[in-house]
Amino acid sequence: MSTELIRLSAADLAAKLASGEVSSVEATQAHLDRIAAVDADIHAFLHVSDHALQVAADVDRRRADGEALGPVAGVPLAIKDVLVTTDMPSTSGSRILEGYLSPFDATVVARSRAAGLVPLGKTNMDEFAMGSSTEHSAYGPTHNPWDLDRIPGGSGGGSAAAVAAFEAPLALGSDTGGSIRQPAHVTGTVGLKPTYGGVSRYGAIALASSLDQVGPVTRTVLDAGLLHDVIGGHDPHDSTSLTDRWPSFADAAREGARGDVLRGLRVGVISELPDSGFQPGVSKSFRAALAAMEAQGAELVEISAPHFEYGVAAYYLILPAEASSNLAKFDSVRFGLRVTPSGTPTVESVMAATREAGFGDEVKRRIILGTYALSAGYYDAYYGSAQKVRTLIQRDFDSAFAQVDVIATPSAPTTAFRLGEKIDDPMQMYLNDVTTIPANLAGVPGISIPSGLAEEDGLPVGIQFLAPARQDAQLYRVGAALEALLVDSWGGPLLDRAPVLRQAQGAGEVA
Amino acid sequence: MRHLGVLARIQLSDEEVERLTGQLDVIVDNIAKVSQVATPDVPATSHPIPLRNVYRADEVGETLTLAQALQNAPDAADGRFRVTAILGEEQ
Amino acid sequence: MAKDALMDYDAAIEMFEPVLGFEVHVELNTKTKMFSAAPNSFGREANSDLAPVDLGLPGSLPVVNEQAVKYSISLGLALGCQIAPSSRFARKNYFYPDLGKNYQISQYDEPIAFEGSVEVELADGTRVVVPIERAHMEEDAGKLTHVGGSTGRIQGAEYSLVDYNRAGVPLVEIVTKPIYGAEHRAPEIAKAYVQTVRDIVLSLGISDAKMERGNLRCDANVSLRPRGQEKLGTRTETKNVNSMRSVERAVRYEIQRQAAILAAGGSITQETRHWHEDTGTTSPGRPKSDADDYRYFPEPDLLPVVPSAELIDELRAALPEPPAERRRRLKAEWGFSDLEFQDVANGGLLSEVAATIDAGATPAAARKWWTGEISRIANAQGREATDLVSPADVASLQGLIDAGTLTDKLARQVLEGVILGEGTPQEVIDARGLAVVSDDGALIAAIDDALASQPDVLEKIRDGKVQAAGAVIGAVMKAMRGQADAARVRELILERAAQ
Ligand SMILES: [Mg+2]
Ligand SMILES: [Zn+2]
């Protein structure tokens, strides 16, 4: 029974909750049991809520009282630790924030609670979202449910692994340069980075303010749409939040799943992204997905995006610059760790010792690089030039979207690499983001959905679709259409092929 | 590098100074790469979606209680945050 | 602290040309902060008026206060500035415990107002034009209290306590261009400039402008160059000169100090200097250094401010008259002599007198209070008259005299109470029990008591020795603790004698 519960999509679970077939307490308990059973190996969670069952019971009671509840009320939710929560610690994967309790909820968390979602806990991540492997978490890495020796992607490896390991049907992520889409790619799950400003950043511990965006992490496109409907929309607490009225993304996904949206759909393929830059199995899976779309009437159009290759360089000027400033607040005065050096400490030496001890190497590296990029009034030359590249990339998108409805790319160049394999090679790690970064620089939405397994290693591969700014709904339509095709061709969800996880001793699932 | 450590308020070990010095090249390379196309005629994009005049009405909203304000403080006294002696001056 | 060598002021001006510059910070009196909906308050319990962003809490974000933008535009217009068609916020990055985020949101290369000028009128009616470079919006920092050590100053303190209530209060920083040609009037121009800025913000109603509270703060830049030299000398920046008279004194001091160094063949260190109100001297602070690498960059959490032409026109139409015009008008309206008017103007009391008159006092009474008793107390305490008491309280004090509730003498006691922060005049009267006793019954009872111990007085009065009443009046006033109208007491005694 509970094994079935945890494998349900959020949409299907919501239907059972609505019909009364299943209670939220049962669903929540099933997921808590699953976490207890497998998370020692996965380490997707940094904190598991001690009152999720009470929250679930409250939803059940309200439902029993005949209260009108939202479409996903009672469904469990995992929350990336970058999002602040009043009832659980929020560390952003850093030692410097160990035990930090926020006096306010992130807007997306508040909206999730209001929608009756049941927070299960906080998920692991690269420290302050800096990384593509979750190896840079101060609390140890998360493991990929497909192969425990491999990375789950990053920075949101915890959220992706949690949904891939059936520890939660829904999770929240954040994406600064691919942190939602790349983990989705390596874990065989779905992740969507909304249009910049489509989802509030209030309460998301900032990495790079002009790039960060919060979004859904799920196993199906429809589930992502359901969660996006809950968290999206204008928030006056975030000045960069758009005031647009958004369509229902769940409806868009349902419309897409009917399949006819692929007929006549113009899909752009970037000529500058040669197959040679990608692992063969990744390229092959990508080509196969495109062929499947073509067979349904989609038209493949070669497009040019000559400035995408400058994206990584621009990104690694903008991100450290903004991060160095955003992370200055961690100084031991108002919150967080304090380390007092011996001798005659001054507040200056206390701050320096705290930041030395509280930040990991990758964070220090990026703060120093960002400080350098901004120092001596060179922001115009450095940061300013990088911002010009954003304009050029936006122009590339503009001219591409004049010819096509969506752009398709492999979500990342390789399948999940082994833990520790690239940790000492920051530039290699950075290049991992080459396909995802342009969307953050330009502010356009992007989705990654599973396209299959790479033939050489049997690991998941994702395909990314990009749409013009504000056309997130298009991604749900196209993503759901391809998802339906592929799941049909596989005879079931890709995750059905993932290995069965070892159950922790004495914590077997309740039958 | 030491100077950057001071600006960023991170005490760096000799080993870190050495390692990070090498990595500054990454920034230099990025600057060189970006400069190839960031010509004067290209305007900068500071925000991916252009907005302007985003304001809040001058009306008092919710505030933190004193307990909430201090709840994460490493050290506090007298309802205030307590810090070790300050060397530098106000700017 | 070693005493600075000072050159005689006139000799200094003979040898060197002083060049001035000012940075004045004005705290706006909006209801809420620049970037949060927390109250913009003063004197409340520490750390009780905070929103997450004021503490730089993880996940918090700033949102611009529209009223603060409007006030800033109005101030820019009143300073004769152009309003930028598009301006933006920038982060000024530096670590200091009074900054919740360890950066100050300010404006850098795109300030909201630039290129203006203000006409400043000196004591003798001479007008000087002070060129304005820019006025930009930013946020204030929190407040530090240094504990331990002897002085309450930062040096030698054991630890410091931080109250962030002030963090995020909206500021406009007004920066002048170099002011040339001030010559021997440099200190006077400095004072008149700050007074004028103060008059402008008060007439706009955008700041409480109390220097003592830090609503208005002035940093004064002074440099000297030998006569005939083109190149500007090295300047010092004297920080937080927090009264108008101190601005004058600090500029004069720096001129004398720098002149002594230069004349002796020395050179000036570019540094900030601290003004010491008590000794009337400046002392060296932080030298200009690498720490001034503020790593400005555009604030990614905020959007450009692009005021419409309509908004600017609307705010321009609502501007009060320019300071010089206003002086001329007020002088004519109030009917003061040249001397009387200069007394008010040089005391920096124009706005106070005007506001006191608006609150119901006659021009003569308003002038008498401000240039008389209030200025006397301010001088004695080394404080700014304008910081001591509000125009509304002065008007109400005068009203109480006019109504016979207070005698002049009692009114001075009430004023003392108001200055000590005991409340409004009426609250002081109630708390101290100070009103004139106008109840004849109480007076007659007191007179009876006094006569009982001096039974011969009535006889003396009847014998024509009216001055004998004085002893009884004195006793009655004493019994009434001064709160009787002596004239009425005398009348009652004479009535009794006539019976
Ligand atoms: Mg300044
Ligand atoms: Zn300033």
Side-chain angles (χ1 to χ4, degrees):
Chain A
M1 170 64 182
S2 73
T3 305
E4 278 165 33
L5 276 184
I6 60 169
R7 294 187 83 90
L8 290 174
S9 70
D12 289 346
L13 177 57
K16 289 187 190 294
L17 288 163
S19 71
E21 191 183 325
V22 172
S23 74
S24 179
V25 166
E26 289 170 305
T28 302
Q29 185 63 59
H31 286 93
L32 291 171
D33 289 346
R34 176 69 173 178
I35 292 168
V38 304
D39 208 54
D41 287 341
I42 303 289
H43 192 37
F45 284 87
L46 294 178
H47 180 92
V48 177
S49 171
D50 58 11
H51 55 279
L53 288 172
Q54 277 122 277
V55 175
D58 186 53
V59 174
D60 287 338
R61 186 187 50 70
R62 284 159 55 203
R63 197 187 301 277
D65 288 351
E67 202 176 307
L69 300 173
V72 287
V75 175
L77 171 75
I79 300 171
K80 189 178 180 183
D81 208 33
V82 75
L83 298 164
V84 298
T85 46
T86 49
D87 58 342
M88 295 179 276
S90 308
T91 70
S92 208
S94 182
R95 200 57 80 188
I96 212 163
L97 270 183
E98 193 162 5
Y100 175 76
L101 268 181
S102 174
F104 67 100
D105 272 329
T107 296
V108 291
V109 171
R111 289 182 180 178
S112 297
R113 292 194 208 277
L117 290 169
V118 179
L120 290 174
K122 305 296 288 288
T123 59
N124 199 8
M125 56 185 285
D126 285 299
E127 183 177 2
F128 289 111
M130 295 183 192
S132 314
S133 65
T134 316
E135 291 168 291
H136 297 294
S137 167
Y139 303 99
T142 296
H143 301 259
N144 191 322
W146 288 80
D147 178 347
L148 295 177
D149 290 336
R150 292 182 186 262
I151 58 118
S155 65
S159 280
V163 299
F166 302 99
E167 296 174 273
L170 299 174
L172 291 170
S174 70
D175 188 315
T176 305
S179 291
I180 287 175
R181 291 161 288 159
Q182 181 260 8
H185 163 91
V186 295
T187 57
T189 58
V190 173
L192 181 134
K193 181 202 89 76
T195 296
Y196 184 83
V199 175
S200 171
R201 293 185 296 117
Y202 188 67
I205 299 174
L207 168 54
S209 312
S210 72
L211 301 165
D212 296 346
Q213 194 57 200
V214 177
V217 173
T218 59
R219 290 190 293 266
T220 72
V221 176
L222 173 58
D223 285 0
L226 286 165
L227 183 52
H228 195 163
D229 284 344
V230 168
I231 60 175
H234 181 64
D235 176 15
H237 284 113
D238 174 1
S239 301
T240 60
S241 166
L242 299 175
T243 53
D244 299 46
R245 291 184 69 91
W246 301 91
S248 163
F249 299 119
D251 285 352
R254 289 187 190 102
E255 186 193 332
R258 289 195 288 270
D260 43 350
V261 299
L262 294 178
R263 194 160 314 281
L265 183 81
R266 297 167 304 165
V267 180
V269 181
I270 302 168
S271 54
E272 287 88 357
L273 280 183
D275 284 354
S276 62
F278 297 86
Q279 185 182 319
V282 170
S283 289
K284 196 164 178 197
S285 176
F286 175 62
R287 294 287 161 193
L290 291 180
M293 293 175 80
E294 208 173 13
Q296 294 300 310
E299 183 193 342
L300 302 187
V301 181
E302 189 153 302
I303 53 152
S304 171
H307 297 99
F308 280 21
E309 66 162 300
Y310 301 92
V312 174
Y315 179 80
Y316 282 103
L317 290 172
I318 292 169
L319 181 140
E322 293 185 10
S324 70
S325 177
N326 283 332
L327 269 54
K329 59 171 64 92
F330 302 103
D331 65 355
S332 83
V333 176
R334 295 158 302 282
F335 42 78
L337 181 74
R338 176 176 294 184
V339 173
T340 304
S342 56
T344 315
T346 62
V347 75
E348 289 83 355
S349 70
V350 171
M351 286 181 184
T354 299
R355 290 162 65 80
E356 159 71 3
F359 289 142
D361 284 348
E362 180 65 13
V363 172
K364 280 186 263 191
R365 174 183 12 242
R366 295 205 201 182
I367 289 175
I368 293 289
L369 296 183
T371 303
Y372 177 65
L374 288 175
S375 67
Y378 288 141
Y379 95 79
D380 244 6
Y382 301 174
Y383 186 83
S385 293
Q387 287 189 328
K388 290 182 174 193
V389 172
R390 298 180 84 149
T391 308
L392 295 170
I393 287 176
Q394 280 191 336
R395 288 177 183 170
D396 283 358
F397 273 120
D398 287 347
S399 57
F401 287 129
Q403 307 166 57
V404 300
D405 302 309
V406 293
I407 295 170
T409 75
S411 298
T414 68
T415 55
F417 46 86
R418 289 185 193 285
L419 286 160
E421 193 179 324
K422 293 187 181 172
I423 196 159
D424 290 326
D425 185 356
M427 218 42 218
Q428 187 49 50
M429 193 85 108
Y430 295 165
L431 284 174
N432 210 28
D433 303 334
V434 65
T435 51
T436 46
I437 278 172
N440 301 84
L441 290 171
V444 306
I447 191 171
S448 176
I449 69 165
S451 62
L453 301 177
E455 60 185 10
E456 63 269 40
D457 55 19
L459 290 168
V461 174
I463 180 170
Q464 172 184 236
F465 294 105
L466 304 168
R470 299 182 150 96
Q471 293 190 27
D472 307 45
Q474 177 78 302
L475 296 180
Y476 284 103
R477 274 190 293 271
V478 174
L482 177 60
E483 178 186 55
L485 267 181
L486 294 175
V487 170
D488 203 39
S489 72
W490 299 327
L494 191 67
L495 276 166
D496 283 357
R497 306 194 198 176
V500 173
L501 294 168
R502 187 180 67 97
Q503 306 288 312
Q505 289 202 332
E509 285 168 72
V510 182
Chain B
M1 180 54 62
R2 291 254 175 241
H3 171 56
L4 292 175
V6 171
L7 280 180
R9 283 278 192 286
I10 300 177
Q11 184 190 307
L12 295 172
S13 67
D14 292 346
E15 181 265 327
E16 277 174 315
V17 167
E18 199 176 315
R19 187 159 43 83
L20 288 168
T21 304
Q23 290 175 354
L24 285 186
D25 295 348
V26 174
I27 288 288
V28 175
D29 292 348
N30 286 340
I31 291 159
K33 174 101 186 173
V34 156
S35 308
Q36 293 168 20
V37 288
T39 47
D41 56 307
V42 180
T45 294
S46 58
H47 298 83
I49 311 291
L51 298 174
R52 51 170 64 169
N53 297 335
V54 178
Y55 300 132
R56 172 178 60 75
D58 186 22
E59 287 157 15
V60 174
E62 234 180 284
T63 55
L64 301 170
T65 62
L66 178 60
Q68 284 177 322
L70 296 175
Q71 76 184 19
N72 290 288
D75 194 6
D78 245 350
R80 285 172 287 180
F81 297 87
R82 181 174 149 137
V83 296
T84 323
I86 302 170
L87 197 62
E89 290 161 7
E90 258 168 281
Q91 322 245 325
Chain C
M1 195 183 310
K3 238 181 155 182
D4 293 318
L6 299 181
M7 185 186 274
D8 171 72
Y9 181 74
D10 291 330
I13 295 296
E14 208 162 297
M15 280 181 79
F16 300 101
E17 183 201 344
V19 180
L20 305 178
F22 300 98
E23 287 168 26
V24 172
H25 284 88
V26 179
E27 272 186 354
L28 302 179
N29 60 4
T30 49
K31 291 195 201 71
T32 64
K33 294 186 180 179
M34 186 74 221
F35 302 115
S36 86
N40 171 7
S41 62
F42 179 86
R44 295 244 304 134
E45 184 189 9
N47 295 306
S48 60
D49 283 334
L50 299 175
V53 78
D54 304 318
L55 280 178
L57 294 188
S60 61
L61 291 171
V63 185
V64 175
N65 181 341
E66 181 168 30
Q67 187 67 67
V69 172
K70 288 184 178 168
Y71 281 179
S72 304
I73 294 172
S74 292
L75 179 51
L77 291 170
L79 295 167
C81 289
Q82 297 182 49
I83 302 305
S86 176
S87 79
R88 59 179 170 177
F89 291 97
R91 292 189 187 175
K92 180 180 183 180
N93 293 286
Y94 64 96
F95 283 82
Y96 208 70
D98 63 3
L99 282 181
K101 307 179 290 296
N102 283 320
Y103 56 82
Q104 179 196 34
I105 305 178
S106 181
Q107 296 194 294
Y108 182 53
D109 51 359
E110 294 183 27
I112 189 149
F114 58 96
E115 289 287 328
S117 65
V118 253
E119 196 182 57
V120 164
E121 194 171 309
L122 305 183
D124 65 355
T126 313
R127 303 215 188 112
V128 177
V129 172
V130 173
I132 303 294
E133 172 152 330
R134 58 188 277 153
H136 67 251
M137 302 183 274
E138 58 185 26
E139 57 178 336
D140 213 338
K143 264 204 151 117
L144 292 166
T145 309
H146 307 296
V147 184
S150 52
T151 53
R153 290 219 175 98
I154 193 164
Q155 294 90 356
E158 239 175 90
Y159 61 93
S160 300
L161 297 173
V162 202
D163 167 15
Y164 291 97
N165 277 350
R166 198 180 64 178
V169 167
L171 291 176
V172 176
E173 179 176 339
I174 306 164
V175 183
T176 68
K177 294 182 178 176
I179 302 164
Y180 301 101
E183 299 299 347
H184 68 282
R185 314 192 94 165
E188 197 190 346
I189 289 171
K191 177 180 153 202
Y193 170 68
V194 178
Q195 278 177 354
T196 304
V197 170
R198 187 170 177 279
D199 280 341
I200 289 172
V201 299
L202 281 172
S203 61
L204 287 168
I206 62 171
S207 172
D208 296 345
K210 291 191 197 308
M211 293 193 77
E212 209 171 70
R213 286 191 176 183
N215 297 147
L216 200 75
R217 310 199 284 269
C218 177
D219 302 342
N221 296 321
V222 176
S223 72
L224 299 183
R225 58 180 173 185
R227 296 273 155 204
Q229 179 181 302
E230 183 89 35
K231 193 170 167 283
L232 286 178
T234 304
R235 68 189 169 89
T236 60
E237 180 177 358
T238 304
K239 288 284 202 189
N240 288 331
V241 194
N242 287 338
S243 73
M244 286 174 277
R245 49 192 225 121
S246 301
V247 175
E248 185 169 26
R249 291 166 71 204
V251 167
R252 173 182 287 267
Y253 184 87
E254 269 304 286
I255 290 173
Q256 292 182 267
R257 187 188 69 84
Q258 291 185 21
I261 293 171
L262 292 171
S267 58
I268 305 301
T269 313
Q270 189 174 351
E271 63 188 357
T272 62
R273 296 192 62 89
H274 297 293
W275 169 250
H276 303 283
E277 185 75 44
D278 44 357
T279 55
T281 60
T282 65
S283 67
R286 194 168 53 81
K288 284 277 166 198
S289 75
D290 293 345
D292 295 333
D293 187 346
Y294 294 123
R295 289 160 286 135
Y296 283 101
F297 72 103
E299 167 58 278
D301 287 327
L302 296 173
L303 286 308
V305 172
V306 185
S308 66
E310 293 77 47
L311 175 66
I312 295 172
D313 287 347
E314 188 186 306
L315 294 172
R316 194 192 304 278
L319 285 183
E321 66 208 311
E325 248 173 65
R326 175 164 174 257
R327 283 169 183 245
R328 264 162 265 154
R329 176 178 59 82
L330 291 178
K331 180 163 184 287
E333 269 177 29
W334 293 344
F336 290 170
S337 70
D338 284 355
L339 214 65
E340 285 170 338
F341 190 79
Q342 267 170 35
D343 231 19
V344 174
N346 297 339
L349 296 166
L350 271 183
S351 296
E352 277 62 31
V353 170
T356 307
I357 293 167
D358 285 348
T362 62
R367 181 183 59 76
K368 193 193 74 183
W369 275 111
W370 282 103
T371 61
E373 187 67 6
I374 300 170
S375 289
R376 190 188 61 73
I377 296 171
N379 280 331
Q381 298 185 2
R383 295 172 68 191
E384 203 64 59
T386 52
D387 287 336
L388 296 184
V389 54
S390 76
D393 285 346
V394 175
S396 97
L397 206 53
Q398 182 61 40
L400 291 162
I401 294 174
D402 294 343
T405 311
L406 294 176
T407 60
D408 278 4
K409 192 173 159 208
L410 280 177
R412 283 198 292 276
Q413 287 181 47
V414 173
L415 175 66
E416 188 188 293
V418 172
I419 290 171
L420 285 170
E422 292 169 23
T424 63
Q426 193 58 55
E427 283 162 1
V428 175
I429 288 167
D430 294 345
R432 292 193 177 189
L434 280 179
V436 166
V437 175
S438 49
D439 170 7
D440 281 354
L443 294 180
I444 288 166
I447 289 168
D448 286 345
D449 280 355
L451 287 174
S453 54
Q454 302 179 63
D456 52 337
V457 168
L458 285 183
E459 273 316 305
K460 286 180 182 167
I461 293 173
R462 287 183 194 124
D463 289 349
K465 292 181 184 162
V466 179
Q467 67 272 27
V472 179
I473 294 170
V476 170
M477 292 304 283
K478 197 171 169 196
M480 303 300 297
R481 286 178 300 140
Q483 286 168 249
D485 179 346
R488 180 66 187 151
V489 174
R490 182 186 158 88
E491 259 173 46
L492 289 171
I493 294 169
L494 295 183
E495 271 173 32
R496 172 69 58 87
Q499 280 166 13

